[in-house]
């Protein structure tokens, strides 16, 4: 055999026996490992961000609780001093509820000026709780604003006369709010408590009405007709389906709000027909417990998410 023909030296372009190109499977495995590492890094970063946000929210919550406690202390001090003799600057000779307690009666103008100063201080504190107001020539004009889940709902107005005694001149409070009862008990002797309780009554009513409105506006395809409710929105009845766009409404809900200051029900009954399947009866029991703990429209959002609806 001639050199350069047929032997290894004569075929320089042919690969030597036993040597091959790197298989494509190895590269694919490396790419998969890199992609997995990237996903793990992204997930780790998201967890760290969530933990950081949670820590910030917890810190903010602590600050708000401290601020709340400070406001409560200020309100209590103002409550004790607004119509009593224990506050600094109270004119001598004036006792509880502005009644003379000493033969040397104080100057009526001094008493009125002291009350005005106290009311201004009270308004500054109440401003952070949704109550704002201003002094008028004859008394005090107040605006009580209500909100739910950060959304402003309603504003109610109340005008008080300060002389010869504190009394209500005019207002826009709904008739079913026990304004007269609260006025008799607290207005003349405990203005802070009067305003706080009145505000809580309005907040509870507005929150209940807001939930009923949301149910009717956003989840009308879950319920049969319009929910039945009274003017105070402390009793709500409706029939509904456990799934959207159903032609039947086998569940009946009755929500009772015995506490007028709350926007969550104190008693809930969700029922179905006696011959309903066991699974539907179990669903009724679960929904009954959920309605006690969660706002009504939030509960239906949960149902929608469970069934894959937006």
């Amino acid at each position: 055999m001639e050199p350069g023909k047929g032997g290894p030296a004569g075929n320089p372009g042919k690969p030597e026996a036993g040597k091959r190109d790197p298989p494509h499977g190895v590269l694919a495995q490396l790419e998969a490992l890199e992609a997995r590492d990237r996903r793990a890094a992204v997930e780790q970063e998201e967890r760290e961000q969530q933990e950081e946000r949670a820590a910030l929210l917890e810190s903010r919550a602590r600050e708000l609780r401290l601020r709340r406690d400070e406001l409560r202390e200020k309100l209590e001090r103002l409550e004790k001093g607004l119509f009593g003799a224990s506050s600094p600057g109270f004119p001598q000779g004036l006792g509880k509820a502005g009644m003379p307690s000493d033969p040397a009666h104080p100057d009526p103008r001094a008493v009125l000026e002291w009350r005005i100063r106290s009311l201004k201080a009270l308004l500054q504190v109440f401003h952070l709780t949704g109550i704002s107001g201003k002094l008028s020539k004859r008394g005090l004009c107040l605006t009580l604003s209500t909100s739910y889940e950060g959304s402003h709902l309603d504003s109610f107005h109340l005008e008080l006369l300060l002389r010869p005694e504190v009394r209500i001149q005019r207002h826009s409070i709904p008739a079913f709010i026990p304004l007269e009862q609260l006025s008799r008990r607290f207005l003349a002797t405990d203005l802070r408590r009067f305003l706080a309780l009145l505000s809580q009554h309005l907040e509870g009513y507005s929150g209940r009405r807001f939930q009923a409105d949301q149910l009717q506006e956003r989840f009308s395809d879950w319920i049969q007709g319009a929910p039945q409710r009274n003017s105070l929105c402390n009793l709500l009845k409706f029939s509904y389906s456990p799934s959207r766009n159903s032609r039947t409404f086998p569940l009946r809900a009755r929500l009772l709000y015995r506490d007028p200051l709350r926007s969550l029900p104190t008693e809930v009954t969700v029922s179905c027909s006696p011959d309903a399947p066991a699974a539907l009866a179990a669903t009724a029991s679960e929904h009954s417990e959920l309605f006690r703990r969660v706002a009504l429209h939030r509960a239906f959002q949960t149902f929608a998410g469970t069934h894959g609806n937006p």
Side-chain angles (χ1 to χ4, degrees), residues 9 11 52 82 86 98 155 164 252 282 292:
N11 295 281
E52 183 178 354
L82 184 57
S86 60
S155 293
R252 296 178 297 276
R292 287 189 182 92

PDB file of all heavy atoms in Angstrom, residues 9 11 52 82 86 98 155 164 252 282 292:
ATOM      1  N   ALA A   9      -2.780   8.106   7.462  1.00  0.00           N
ATOM      2  CA  ALA A   9      -2.109   9.338   7.031  1.00  0.00           C
ATOM      3  C   ALA A   9      -2.702   9.892   5.776  1.00  0.00           C
ATOM      4  O   ALA A   9      -2.581  11.067   5.478  1.00  0.00           O
ATOM      5  CB  ALA A   9      -0.620   9.070   6.833  1.00  0.00           C
ATOM      6  N   ASN A  11      -5.905  10.031   5.060  1.00  0.00           N
ATOM      7  CA  ASN A  11      -7.259  10.578   5.291  1.00  0.00           C
ATOM      8  C   ASN A  11      -7.246  11.572   6.455  1.00  0.00           C
ATOM      9  O   ASN A  11      -7.763  11.305   7.534  1.00  0.00           O
ATOM     10  CB  ASN A  11      -8.249   9.456   5.616  1.00  0.00           C
ATOM     11  CG  ASN A  11      -8.434   8.516   4.414  1.00  0.00           C
ATOM     12  OD1 ASN A  11      -9.158   8.839   3.495  1.00  0.00           O
ATOM     13  ND2 ASN A  11      -7.746   7.393   4.437  1.00  0.00           N
ATOM     14  N   GLU A  52     -40.089  41.434  53.509  1.00  0.00           N
ATOM     15  CA  GLU A  52     -39.786  42.839  53.793  1.00  0.00           C
ATOM     16  C   GLU A  52     -41.066  43.664  53.878  1.00  0.00           C
ATOM     17  O   GLU A  52     -41.231  44.496  54.776  1.00  0.00           O
ATOM     18  CB  GLU A  52     -38.872  43.392  52.699  1.00  0.00           C
ATOM     19  CG  GLU A  52     -38.433  44.834  52.933  1.00  0.00           C
ATOM     20  CD  GLU A  52     -37.499  45.332  51.853  1.00  0.00           C
ATOM     21  OE1 GLU A  52     -37.116  44.523  50.992  1.00  0.00           O
ATOM     22  OE2 GLU A  52     -37.151  46.523  51.884  1.00  0.00           O
ATOM     23  N   LEU A  82     -63.781  68.550  79.701  1.00  0.00           N
ATOM     24  CA  LEU A  82     -64.577  69.441  78.879  1.00  0.00           C
ATOM     25  C   LEU A  82     -65.715  70.107  79.649  1.00  0.00           C
ATOM     26  O   LEU A  82     -65.954  71.295  79.532  1.00  0.00           O
ATOM     27  CB  LEU A  82     -65.151  68.664  77.681  1.00  0.00           C
ATOM     28  CG  LEU A  82     -65.931  69.509  76.676  1.00  0.00           C
ATOM     29  CD1 LEU A  82     -65.066  70.629  76.144  1.00  0.00           C
ATOM     30  CD2 LEU A  82     -66.448  68.642  75.548  1.00  0.00           C
ATOM     31  N   SER A  86     -61.839  69.485  86.462  1.00  0.00           N
ATOM     32  CA  SER A  86     -60.503  68.928  86.639  1.00  0.00           C
ATOM     33  C   SER A  86     -59.527  69.356  85.566  1.00  0.00           C
ATOM     34  O   SER A  86     -58.354  69.037  85.640  1.00  0.00           O
ATOM     35  CB  SER A  86     -60.584  67.393  86.645  1.00  0.00           C
ATOM     36  OG  SER A  86     -61.134  66.928  85.420  1.00  0.00           O
ATOM     37  N   GLY A  98     -70.860  72.426  84.055  1.00  0.00           N
ATOM     38  CA  GLY A  98     -70.968  73.867  83.976  1.00  0.00           C
ATOM     39  C   GLY A  98     -71.845  74.485  85.037  1.00  0.00           C
ATOM     40  O   GLY A  98     -72.186  75.654  84.936  1.00  0.00           O
ATOM     41  N   SER A 155     -71.467  61.478  54.399  1.00  0.00           N
ATOM     42  CA  SER A 155     -71.167  62.547  55.355  1.00  0.00           C
ATOM     43  C   SER A 155     -72.478  63.017  55.973  1.00  0.00           C
ATOM     44  O   SER A 155     -73.447  63.290  55.255  1.00  0.00           O
ATOM     45  CB  SER A 155     -70.451  63.718  54.673  1.00  0.00           C
ATOM     46  OG  SER A 155     -69.164  63.340  54.244  1.00  0.00           O
ATOM     47  N   PRO A 164     -77.959  78.597  75.965  1.00  0.00           N
ATOM     48  CA  PRO A 164     -77.576  78.546  77.395  1.00  0.00           C
ATOM     49  C   PRO A 164     -77.144  77.153  77.858  1.00  0.00           C
ATOM     50  O   PRO A 164     -76.553  77.004  78.908  1.00  0.00           O
ATOM     51  CB  PRO A 164     -78.848  78.995  78.104  1.00  0.00           C
ATOM     52  CG  PRO A 164     -79.943  78.571  77.180  1.00  0.00           C
ATOM     53  CD  PRO A 164     -79.410  78.754  75.795  1.00  0.00           C
ATOM     54  N   ARG A 252     -80.653  29.691  50.809  1.00  0.00           N
ATOM     55  CA  ARG A 252     -81.343  30.863  51.353  1.00  0.00           C
ATOM     56  C   ARG A 252     -80.561  31.372  52.561  1.00  0.00           C
ATOM     57  O   ARG A 252     -80.296  30.605  53.500  1.00  0.00           O
ATOM     58  CB  ARG A 252     -82.778  30.498  51.749  1.00  0.00           C
ATOM     59  CG  ARG A 252     -83.644  30.070  50.574  1.00  0.00           C
ATOM     60  CD  ARG A 252     -85.041  29.682  51.025  1.00  0.00           C
ATOM     61  NE  ARG A 252     -85.014  28.513  51.922  1.00  0.00           N
ATOM     62  CZ  ARG A 252     -84.985  27.262  51.486  1.00  0.00           C
ATOM     63  NH1 ARG A 252     -84.955  27.000  50.179  1.00  0.00           N
ATOM     64  NH2 ARG A 252     -84.976  26.252  52.334  1.00  0.00           N
ATOM     65  N   ALA A 282     -73.630  20.669  53.209  1.00  0.00           N
ATOM     66  CA  ALA A 282     -72.305  20.994  53.742  1.00  0.00           C
ATOM     67  C   ALA A 282     -71.860  22.366  53.258  1.00  0.00           C
ATOM     68  O   ALA A 282     -71.258  23.151  54.015  1.00  0.00           O
ATOM     69  CB  ALA A 282     -71.300  19.925  53.323  1.00  0.00           C
ATOM     70  N   ARG A 292     -70.224  35.037  58.713  1.00  0.00           N
ATOM     71  CA  ARG A 292     -70.022  35.613  60.047  1.00  0.00           C
ATOM     72  C   ARG A 292     -68.672  36.325  60.153  1.00  0.00           C
ATOM     73  O   ARG A 292     -68.528  37.257  60.938  1.00  0.00           O
ATOM     74  CB  ARG A 292     -70.086  34.518  61.114  1.00  0.00           C
ATOM     75  CG  ARG A 292     -71.468  33.975  61.396  1.00  0.00           C
ATOM     76  CD  ARG A 292     -71.442  33.053  62.615  1.00  0.00           C
ATOM     77  NE  ARG A 292     -72.756  32.479  62.889  1.00  0.00           N
ATOM     78  CZ  ARG A 292     -73.171  31.336  62.407  1.00  0.00           C
ATOM     79  NH1 ARG A 292     -72.366  30.617  61.624  1.00  0.00           N
ATOM     80  NH2 ARG A 292     -74.380  30.880  62.680  1.00  0.00           N
TER      81      ARG A 292
END
